[in-house]
Amino acid sequence: MKHKLRLMTLAFASLPSLAAAADLGIDATSLIRLEERSVPGFKDENVVPATQFLGVDLDKLGDGNLSFHLHGWGRVDLAHRSTDEGTTDGDLSYAYLAYRFPKADGLIRLGRFYVYEGIAAEQLDGVSVRGDLAKGFTASLFGGAPVRLDITDRNKGDYVVGGRVGFRVPGILEIGASALREGNTDTGQTADLKNYRQLVGGDIWLAPFRMIEVRGHSSYNTATDGFAEHSYLVLFQPLKDLSISAEYNDYRLKDYFASTNLRSLFNPDKGETLRSYGGSVTYVIAKPVEVSADYKRINYHGDSHGNTHRYGGEVRLTLADRKVRAGVSYHRADSSRADVNSYHEVRGWGLYDATAYFASLDAIAHFYRQSIDTRSHDYEFVGSAGYRILPNLALSGDIAYGRNPRLDSELRGVVRLTWNFTSTSKGAAK
Amino acid sequence: MRRIKLLSLCAAFVGAMALTACTHVISQETSLPSSHPEALGEGRVDCSECHEDKIKGVLKPYASFSHTPVFVKNHRFYAGEDGRLCGVCHKPSFCTDCHANELEIKPSIRYGNRPDRELVHRGDYLTRHRIDGKIDPTSCFKCHGRTNNEQCVACHR
């Protein structure tokens, strides 16, 4: 007992010295929105939600390899409710301890965090371990409880486990195999659903020549016995300033949507297949001017929603050591079926970011083939200006005005106070 | 007492063997740095402006990770294989600006002062989602299929 007491006293006594040795980073953004919503046939409504985002990073704890990371937000509605839920809300995005090993990119995390490993993209309360092995192999494992949504208790399973193993040939190849299982998921009133989510998959990066790269992954749903997804991208860079890409995606919706917690929206029972393919070209004409064009064809095998062409282009300017940035773009979604609408999108924006002052303008408009609620188009203008009171403390404000099929007019103001504090000058700020 | 000594000896032997195995099984390559050594300007970075070789650790050319329009649109492939490289320059909160279990504000409103960032659902997306959802529901599913769909439930019950 005395021994335990001594250990606890020692642990508590060491906390201040641990904290003193640590590098502290704080990112805080306070945001107040002032919105006037004018719905046809209803009284105008004012909403004033005040939101605080907070991120804390404590690095170099203990032996210097331990760190703690936290991020979340909280909101209070100061006038009418801003959502259909209560007047307050909040969420903890992540809060975890991480231990980075000096070798092999070894990393252990404990707490709430996100995992992106192969086919897995999960938020969980648990533990994850990863590291590079000898001879080009890599391995990662994770496990814990999936983070649930507020809407109901039964929108996620009781546990989720998974991992990825990879093999790399330097500069030429990386292949990976990953798996994921979420257990005791809610089957609702659908009796023939499995009460688990289980995916296996593979991913690849291949660069057979200096100019060509292939990236992609496939996943197989073992709960429904079918391939859920094949997504592959080929990149071709014949010149330093020219890059050409081609993509192919194949989804079997019965297997891809099987694990949704919103079955009324993502209906996997239609049994359709969706395939899309396309490509893009990006060319840097001169250092400040980048031009890109893209095309994508989306085909339903079941033809319930018809087939669609999506295409467009963008010109971006980057001047004065990135202090001035601007762009114009046009995109089109062109559906072949009369009962699925099509639209043109036009956007232009510009930004000036000097040491003390910064300002931007952004305008976007959509023109619909068939009018929606008697309106054939929508638009929104956003103007923003800000001042850096200190190098790490900035006050900015936005004014946005728009009209759209839902609202006669939408006027929004945003006041934003951003504070990014870091106690160390080593390394770039993230 | 002799048994305890024998067990301790066995444990020490097994431990030494495990340690030796680990030094052979685990890569001896130095880990990626926890942050980029020099400050980078805002906006899309081009790694190949300064680097020419392969990135230690991920063993791929720097040019592969230049933030071109194709990279930005397809960053999921990069994150799935080399997420730890993203972490050198980006905090996890950079990802959760868009990919979250529950998103408070549309990213384009939260960052209304950053029109240069590739943020989803600009303008009146509430109207447009009815079209995009029919054209390609898989693009919705990636973010709203299992998470961040509390607002979807308000209408799609």
Side-chain angles (χ1 to χ4, degrees):
Chain A
M1 188 65 191
K2 269 185 183 175
H3 183 61
K4 276 186 183 174
L5 202 66
R6 243 180 257 147
L7 273 177
M8 280 174 70
T9 312
L10 195 68
F12 277 111
S14 65
L15 276 177
S17 60
L18 278 175
D23 283 348
L24 172 67
I26 298 173
D27 299 304
T29 301
S30 311
L31 215 83
I32 297 176
R33 285 174 286 162
L34 304 104
E35 291 183 30
E36 185 186 87
R37 295 172 182 172
S38 175
V39 182
F42 290 87
K43 198 180 165 191
D44 289 1
E45 202 172 70
N46 294 317
V47 291
V48 187
T51 310
Q52 180 65 49
F53 296 88
L54 179 68
V56 177
D57 297 278
L58 270 170
D59 288 299
K60 296 183 182 169
L61 293 166
D63 66 352
N65 297 314
L66 186 68
S67 59
F68 174 73
H69 309 273
L70 176 145
H71 193 268
W73 58 267
R75 188 199 68 228
V76 178
D77 285 328
L78 304 177
H80 285 102
R81 288 193 307 176
S82 62
T83 67
D84 291 334
E85 294 168 43
T87 54
T88 59
D89 201 359
D91 190 46
L92 181 66
S93 306
Y94 56 82
Y96 62 90
L97 278 167
Y99 190 87
R100 289 169 55 88
F101 290 84
K103 290 196 173 173
D105 272 324
L107 177 69
I108 299 173
R109 291 185 293 175
L110 179 70
R112 172 173 293 189
F113 52 85
Y114 285 84
V115 164
Y116 305 101
E117 289 288 347
I119 54 161
E122 305 293 316
Q123 187 193 24
L124 62 139
D125 294 322
V127 63
S128 80
V129 185
R130 83 153 309 280
D132 292 343
L133 308 177
K135 311 283 185 195
F137 288 93
T138 67
S140 68
L141 283 170
F142 61 85
V147 178
R148 293 182 173 175
L149 304 171
D150 292 343
I151 36 178
T152 63
D153 287 338
R154 296 294 309 161
N155 46 54
K156 295 281 181 73
D158 288 344
Y159 68 89
V160 60
V161 291
R164 178 180 180 270
V165 287
F167 173 71
R168 302 176 300 191
V169 179
I172 296 172
L173 173 74
E174 175 163 354
I175 49 170
S178 47
L180 166 83
R181 182 183 170 96
E182 184 178 340
N184 295 335
T185 53
D186 186 22
T187 56
Q189 295 178 352
T190 316
D192 56 346
L193 274 182
K194 302 263 174 62
N195 70 339
Y196 62 89
R197 177 168 72 108
Q198 192 164 276
L199 294 166
V200 294
D203 56 85
I204 188 168
W205 172 81
L206 176 68
F209 310 105
R210 193 183 58 81
M211 287 184 268
I212 294 177
E213 272 187 28
V214 179
R215 283 183 184 270
H217 61 230
S218 293
S219 64
Y220 185 87
N221 190 333
T222 58
T224 55
D225 278 333
F227 273 101
E229 179 188 7
H230 301 286
S231 288
Y232 290 88
L233 175 74
V234 181
L235 292 158
F236 175 51
Q237 191 161 18
L239 304 167
K240 188 179 182 300
D241 295 328
L242 176 68
S243 56
I244 300 164
S245 74
E247 64 171 298
Y248 175 78
N249 307 286
D250 186 326
Y251 301 93
R252 291 167 202 195
L253 303 188
K254 173 177 75 72
D255 306 299
Y256 190 66
F257 288 161
S259 57
T260 184
N261 53 18
L262 208 51
R263 290 185 77 83
S264 64
L265 183 59
F266 298 101
N267 183 358
D269 302 322
K270 283 186 181 173
E272 290 175 324
T273 300
L274 188 147
R275 287 196 185 100
S276 64
Y277 52 86
S280 71
V281 180
T282 303
Y283 184 52
V284 181
I285 296 173
K287 198 63 193 168
V289 186
E290 181 186 83
V291 181
S292 60
D294 56 84
Y295 170 79
K296 194 172 187 180
R297 170 81 172 165
I298 303 159
N299 286 344
Y300 275 94
H301 182 63
D303 204 32
S304 68
H305 297 306
N307 303 321
T308 304
H309 301 278
R310 298 197 86 134
Y311 52 88
E314 184 179 26
V315 180
R316 274 181 177 248
L317 280 170
T318 308
L319 301 161
D321 199 21
R322 292 190 185 149
K323 281 182 184 167
V324 178
R325 282 162 263 165
V328 287
S329 64
Y330 165 80
H331 280 91
R332 167 88 170 136
D334 185 9
S335 173
S336 63
R337 271 180 67 134
D339 57 346
V340 178
N341 213 338
S342 301
Y343 63 86
H344 304 267
E345 179 184 283
V346 185
R347 182 170 175 241
W349 56 271
L351 178 154
Y352 177 69
D353 190 352
T355 312
Y357 295 93
F358 51 94
S360 66
L361 281 171
D362 190 0
I364 190 166
H366 297 90
F367 301 90
Y368 299 102
R369 182 173 65 192
Q370 296 151 16
S371 293
I372 303 170
D373 297 336
T374 72
R375 289 230 168 88
S376 62
H377 66 279
D378 66 54
Y379 62 82
E380 185 183 87
F381 297 98
V382 185
S384 178
Y387 175 64
R388 289 192 181 88
I389 302 161
L390 297 167
N392 57 9
L393 180 69
L395 180 68
S396 61
D398 308 345
I399 290 180
Y401 178 78
R403 294 192 73 177
N404 56 58
R406 295 178 302 108
L407 303 169
D408 272 341
S409 67
E410 188 173 26
L411 181 64
R412 184 179 65 241
V414 176
V415 180
R416 184 187 298 108
L417 185 69
T418 310
W419 182 50
N420 299 315
F421 170 80
T422 177
S423 69
T424 178
S425 58
K426 282 184 183 175
K430 289 189 185 179
Chain B
M1 194 64 184
R2 188 177 287 175
R3 188 176 289 174
I4 292 170
K5 274 186 181 173
L6 199 66
L7 276 172
S8 304
L9 210 66
C10 283
F13 178 73
V14 169
M17 288 297 286
L19 206 65
T20 311
C22 278
T23 55
H24 283 85
V25 169
I26 293 171
S27 166
Q28 294 303 300
E29 192 74 46
T30 310
S31 295
L32 287 164
S34 59
S35 61
H36 195 272
E38 287 177 26
L40 298 168
E42 282 196 337
R44 294 177 178 179
V45 298
D46 179 0
C47 308
S48 57
E49 271 182 13
C50 302
H51 303 281
E52 287 179 351
D53 201 7
K54 286 191 286 290
I55 305 172
K56 190 179 64 177
V58 301
L59 305 176
K60 290 170 188 153
Y62 277 98
S64 294
F65 296 91
S66 290
H67 288 16
T68 61
V70 177
F71 174 94
V72 174
K73 283 200 177 94
N74 296 283
H75 64 272
R76 62 186 177 128
F77 294 129
Y78 298 78
E81 278 188 348
D82 301 310
R84 65 199 186 284
L85 182 65
C86 307
V88 174
C89 297
H90 297 292
K91 288 182 180 177
S93 59
F94 184 83
C95 308
T96 58
D97 284 346
C98 298
H99 304 283
N101 202 39
E102 189 180 351
L103 211 59
E104 155 66 350
I105 302 173
K106 203 165 70 158
S108 59
I109 295 177
R110 184 176 167 191
Y111 293 101
N113 56 346
R114 290 294 306 275
D116 59 320
R117 277 185 67 174
E118 191 80 28
L119 301 172
V120 290
H121 307 343
R122 287 188 186 277
D124 175 35
Y125 198 75
L126 211 51
T127 297
R128 218 157 63 251
H129 87 283
R130 289 188 270 175
I131 303 170
D132 286 350
K134 285 178 183 168
I135 288 173
D136 184 1
T138 62
S139 63
C140 311
F141 184 82
K142 290 182 181 85
C143 296
H144 303 292
R146 294 184 47 72
T147 62
N148 196 20
N149 52 23
E150 291 184 24
Q151 288 191 16
C152 309
V153 176
C155 299
H156 302 279
R157 289 179 188 277

